[in-house]
């Protein structure tokens, strides 16, 4: 289904021409995404059978993801999800996913933000590929925010045990877990561990963006 975006480019904020009513980006930013921001190849997440990202976490993409995540811009999900769905479509033969899930938010964080950005990404991705989208993970109460951890060691320590299994049966499933941003991959690794403990046969990670050196 066509998606109506804001009348401004989600990366640079430029007003879009009237004829671009269904576009998310201005022509200049669309060109930059193709040439500067695509994330090429896969990366490694401990415990996962594969991991991929749509975009590089830097520059205008980084700023747009911050607005999406912290700035009350849930409408940005449609564009990021479309970019991610294209990456997943290219992996279908290798990953052969049977369901989609997403990283959870704690209750207080979800109430404060009004939405879980990973869920907003996961649902249209699943729909575009006719896959079920399930809430398979729960956030352990009183877990500190990953985004405020100072270094990789702190992120790994904070992520360990931060997720709990939900009540969705996953025996034999090939699960793709959706994340918005992967930095060290610690939270994604914890998700892979929990999903395997729930019976998942394979776990893959798909992120909107990945940090780069």
């Amino acid at each position: 289904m066509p998606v109506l975006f804001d009348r401004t480019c989600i990366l640079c904020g430029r007003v879009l021409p009237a004829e671009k009513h269904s576009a998310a980006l201005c022509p200049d930013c669309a060109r930059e995404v193709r040439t500067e921001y695509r994330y090429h190849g896969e990366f490694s997440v401990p415990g996962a059978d594969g991991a991929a990202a749509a975009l590089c976490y830097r520059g205008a993409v980084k700023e747009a993801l911050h607005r999406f995540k912290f700035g009350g811009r849930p409408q940005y999900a449609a564009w990021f999800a479309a970019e991610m769905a294209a990456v997943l479509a290219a992996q279908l033969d290798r990953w052969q996913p049977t369901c989609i899930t997403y990283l959870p938010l704690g209750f207080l964080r979800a109430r404060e933000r009004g939405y879980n950005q990973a869920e907003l990404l996961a649902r249209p991705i699943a729909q575009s590929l006719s896959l079920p989208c399930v809430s398979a993970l729960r956030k352990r109460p009183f877990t500190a925010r990953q985004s405020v951890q100072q270094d990789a060691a702190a992120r790994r320590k904070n992520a360990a045990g931060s997720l709990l299994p939900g009540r969705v049966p996953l025996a034999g499933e090939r699960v793709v877990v959706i994340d918005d941003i992967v930095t060290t991959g610690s939270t994604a690794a914890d998700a892979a561990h929990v999903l395997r403990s729930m019976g998942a046969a394979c776990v893959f990670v798909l992120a909107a963006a990945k940090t780069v050196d």
Side-chain angles (χ1 to χ4, degrees):
M1 294 179 63
V3 177
L4 296 182
F5 295 94
D6 281 351
R7 299 309 305 275
T8 58
C9 173
I10 71 170
L11 294 189
C12 71
R14 185 181 304 169
V15 176
L16 296 171
E19 65 272 14
K20 300 291 185 180
H21 64 278
S22 63
L25 303 181
C26 69
D28 289 343
C29 285
R31 189 178 309 111
E32 282 195 358
V33 166
R34 291 193 297 271
T35 59
E36 303 293 333
Y37 289 117
R38 295 275 187 230
Y39 190 93
H40 298 288
E42 296 184 57
F43 55 92
S44 176
V45 169
D49 297 280
L55 302 160
C56 297
Y57 185 60
R58 63 187 179 202
V61 166
K62 179 178 180 179
E63 293 171 5
L65 275 168
H66 271 250
R67 291 193 297 273
F68 169 46
K69 189 170 182 177
F70 303 114
R73 304 291 180 87
Q75 67 271 23
Y76 283 18
W79 181 72
F80 284 112
E83 295 292 307
M84 297 167 71
V87 172
L88 181 53
Q91 299 285 357
L92 283 181
D93 287 344
R94 294 178 57 228
W95 289 8
Q96 298 183 19
T98 58
C99 69
I100 304 286
T101 192
Y102 48 87
L103 291 181
L105 276 185
F107 173 76
L108 293 178
R109 192 73 58 213
R111 187 172 67 175
E112 173 188 302
R113 191 169 299 168
Y115 54 89
N116 177 353
Q117 70 281 353
E119 181 179 3
L120 292 188
L121 296 170
R123 294 201 177 280
I125 292 170
Q127 183 179 24
S128 71
L129 297 171
S130 299
L131 292 171
C133 184
V134 298
S135 177
L137 299 166
R138 296 180 293 124
K139 192 79 168 182
R140 187 181 296 276
F142 309 113
T143 302
R145 290 169 56 184
Q146 277 291 86
S147 59
V148 302
Q149 305 306 310
Q150 296 301 310
D151 53 34
R155 283 178 173 268
R156 283 192 294 270
K157 182 178 179 181
N158 189 61
S162 65
L163 300 175
L164 298 170
R167 295 185 173 87
V168 179
L170 292 179
E173 299 283 357
R174 301 174 66 88
V175 185
V176 176
V177 57
I178 300 298
D179 197 359
D180 55 347
I181 304 159
V182 170
T183 50
T184 63
S186 300
T187 304
D190 194 43
H193 172 75
V194 175
L195 292 168
R196 286 190 183 281
S197 75
M198 298 169 65
C202 295
V203 178
F204 307 94
V205 176
L206 177 62
K210 173 73 173 67
T211 53
V212 292
D213 297 330

